[in-house]
Amino acid sequence: MIVAPKIRGFICTTAHPAGCARHVADQIAVVKNRGPVANGPKKVLVVGSSTGYGLASRIAAAFGSNAATIGVFFEKPGEADRCGTAGWYNSVAFEKEARAAGLYARSFNGDAFSDAMKAEVVEAVKKDLGQVDCVIYSLASPRRTHPKTGEVFKSVLKPTGGASYTNKNLNTGTGVVNEVTIEPANDDEVAQTVAVMGGEDWEMWIDALQSAGVLANGVQTVAYSYIGPEVTWPIYKNGTIGRAKEDLERAQRALDARLAPLKGKAWVSVNKALVTQASSAIPVVPLYISLLYKVMKAGGTHEDCIEQMDRLFRERLYNGDPQPDEAGRIRVDDWEMAPEVQQLVDERWKQVNTENFPQLGDFEGYQSSFLRLFGFGLEGVDYNADVDTGVGVPSLA
Ligand code: NAD
């Protein structure tokens, strides 16, 4: 099939298998070029391993530390006449590259929130690896079926506190900068968002693994969060998603206590704002990201998911110097939050409109990053050539 991008709002409904493979190979090259991570993890479980930060974590662990990896994701396989999702093709490519490098890699496609998935993964760890020494929790989902009650929770991206929020917003298709007003969430919407994106499921994963005895001594587990600048706080830090992230920090403290007998450690890592399938759905944030990319690229400090996750492993988790902030969080958003970066972004935020956006923002960078998520616009890929959309993930074949 010849595969071209089909964009509907903030998603692309097609994905290019060869382009996704190129994207994965490029990320592997970044890690390999930086050399091995001394004392890195050896047996790693990544929950949410097929795209964005989770995929980058899996790549950083495998190709920085020669780690065996188990990945869990929820993706649609491709067929001969129909595209699968980008995360499916990323996982096909990752497993092929890992196997070619002599690394163990096994994947599970299904609902990570379910008890059945946890049980399957625990069995695989037991049988294939014995134990894991690192568990990365990187799910981003709009809904969760609670495994005990069957209740379906839906997350929303809204301000809390009863007041609506109006700010500038980017139409990521056209480059038009307009205003958006988002009505506040009610208490039920807050609770549902916390149920989907908060820490309960992370705790359930660690419970399942710990009670089966498959967590190694000294295990580290990390979940990802975002804080960002004040301009985004009403929709992020102080919004429904921020409430879920507070709950993630609650879970981190609970897990820390639970892992103490293993001399283990739970972390929340605050990562940089980046174009991913999850972040492109958040109002206001894509405009902020476009301004941020321009400033950070000019300053030479721009990173993508893979550079972020490589730095997390190399310069925080496995070098004996995690540099936690006052709340005990790891910060790899430090370059994003640098005062000189934020000051420039803030000045431009105040000025930006449709007319000056091409000068102030990195729209080209935003759009090309978005397309790359789906395997489009990568160098060295012949997009006019027929490509097999029915490729399978080796361990799921
Ligand atoms: P993403 O959309 O790229 O990845 C989400 C992953 O979750 C995919 O692998 C997907 O298959 C998996 N997934 C979703 N629902 C699932 C389910 N029910 N069962 C199994 N797998 C499922 O998202 P991302 O942006 O990489 O986000 C990952 C984490 O990083 C989130 O906690 C997010 O809040 C956090 N984060 C993101 C940013 C950002 O700017 N993108 C910044 C800081 C922190």
Side-chain angles (χ1 to χ4, degrees):
M1 228 169 100
I2 306 237
V3 184
K6 269 193 205 149
I7 297 172
R8 305 257 179 283
F10 50 76
I11 57 164
C12 178
T13 58
T14 53
H16 198 283
C20 289
R22 180 79 253 160
H23 194 206
V24 167
D26 288 350
Q27 294 186 61
I28 292 172
V30 168
V31 175
K32 282 172 102 171
N33 283 339
R34 292 180 177 188
V37 176
N39 308 314
K42 289 291 165 228
K43 296 172 180 181
V44 181
L45 167 63
V46 182
V47 184
S49 65
S50 54
T51 55
Y53 275 120
L55 172 66
S57 308
R58 193 176 191 187
I59 291 172
F63 292 91
S65 311
N66 283 327
T69 59
I70 292 183
V72 182
F73 48 77
F74 208 175
E75 301 293 347
K76 196 169 65 142
E79 291 170 22
D81 58 351
R82 214 186 58 202
C83 281
T85 51
W88 179 261
Y89 295 133
N90 291 338
S91 304
V92 173
F94 172 83
E95 277 206 10
K96 284 187 178 161
E97 296 268 10
R99 283 160 186 232
L103 300 171
Y104 170 98
R106 187 165 168 190
S107 302
F108 291 83
N109 187 27
D111 184 10
F113 294 126
S114 70
D115 284 346
M117 177 57 83
K118 293 180 178 79
E120 249 189 275
V121 170
V122 163
E123 274 318 298
V125 174
K126 242 189 223 166
K127 186 166 159 285
D128 295 357
L129 303 178
Q131 291 186 319
V132 285
D133 55 28
C134 175
V135 180
I136 301 293
Y137 187 83
S138 187
L139 289 185
S141 173
R143 70 185 66 79
R144 169 177 175 225
T145 303
H146 196 279
K148 309 297 175 203
T149 63
E151 196 176 341
V152 179
F153 298 108
K154 290 191 178 139
S155 67
V156 296
L157 293 158
K158 291 186 176 183
T160 59
S164 65
Y165 167 61
T166 300
N167 212 329
K168 292 179 182 178
N169 190 47
L170 172 68
N171 179 323
T172 53
T174 61
V176 168
V177 176
N178 51 17
E179 263 191 357
V180 65
T181 295
I182 309 144
E183 294 308 318
N186 59 37
D187 290 348
D188 181 53
E189 288 173 315
V190 172
Q192 295 217 24
T193 306
V194 171
V196 179
M197 289 297 288
E200 188 190 25
D201 183 61
W202 183 25
E203 292 181 279
M204 287 178 163
W205 269 101
I206 297 300
D207 273 349
L209 294 158
Q210 190 170 14
S211 49
V214 298
L215 293 179
N217 267 320
V219 65
Q220 300 204 69
T221 183
V222 192
Y224 299 139
S225 185
Y226 182 67
I227 295 177
E230 270 182 54
V231 70
T232 64
W233 282 4
I235 190 67
Y236 203 99
K237 179 173 172 288
N238 298 336
T240 47
I241 180 73
R243 295 285 285 277
K245 296 300 184 188
E246 273 171 28
D247 187 63
L248 206 62
E249 293 189 25
R250 173 206 56 75
Q252 177 268 324
R253 292 185 290 272
L255 288 175
D256 237 10
R258 228 171 293 179
L259 293 175
L262 292 172
K263 298 199 168 25
K265 182 84 189 86
W267 295 105
V268 165
S269 171
V270 183
N271 301 343
K272 178 191 178 190
L274 281 174
V275 182
T276 65
Q277 293 184 41
S279 71
S280 44
I282 308 175
V284 180
V285 167
L287 180 59
Y288 167 72
I289 287 181
S290 306
L291 300 182
L292 179 73
Y293 275 26
K294 183 97 171 190
V295 171
M296 292 187 80
K297 283 180 184 175
T301 58
H302 176 69
E303 296 174 298
D304 217 324
C305 288
I306 193 62
E307 288 86 1
Q308 278 270 293
M309 294 300 93
D310 183 81
R311 199 152 66 87
L312 172 67
F313 280 68
R314 201 180 287 274
E315 296 180 18
R316 296 288 189 278
L317 287 176
Y318 292 101
N319 69 345
D321 185 21
Q323 305 168 40
D325 67 9
E326 69 295 341
R329 300 171 293 227
I330 290 182
R331 306 298 295 260
V332 284
D333 66 339
D334 48 347
W335 297 352
E336 169 183 357
M337 299 313 291
E340 62 278 14
V341 169
Q342 285 303 321
Q343 196 187 329
L344 263 180
V345 174
D346 188 54
E347 281 166 18
R348 292 179 186 180
W349 183 271
K350 290 180 185 122
Q351 296 163 21
V352 72
N353 56 38
T354 304
E355 286 65 47
N356 62 24
F357 178 57
Q359 286 79 53
L360 297 184
D362 180 21
F363 190 36
E364 196 280 323
Y366 186 94
Q367 287 195 310
S368 62
S369 295
F370 180 77
L371 283 171
R372 265 204 313 278
L373 299 178
F374 304 92
F376 297 108
L378 284 114
E379 258 179 55
V381 177
D382 180 358
Y383 290 98
N384 296 316
D386 243 334
V387 64
D388 181 4
T389 48
V391 285
V393 175
S395 74
L396 291 170

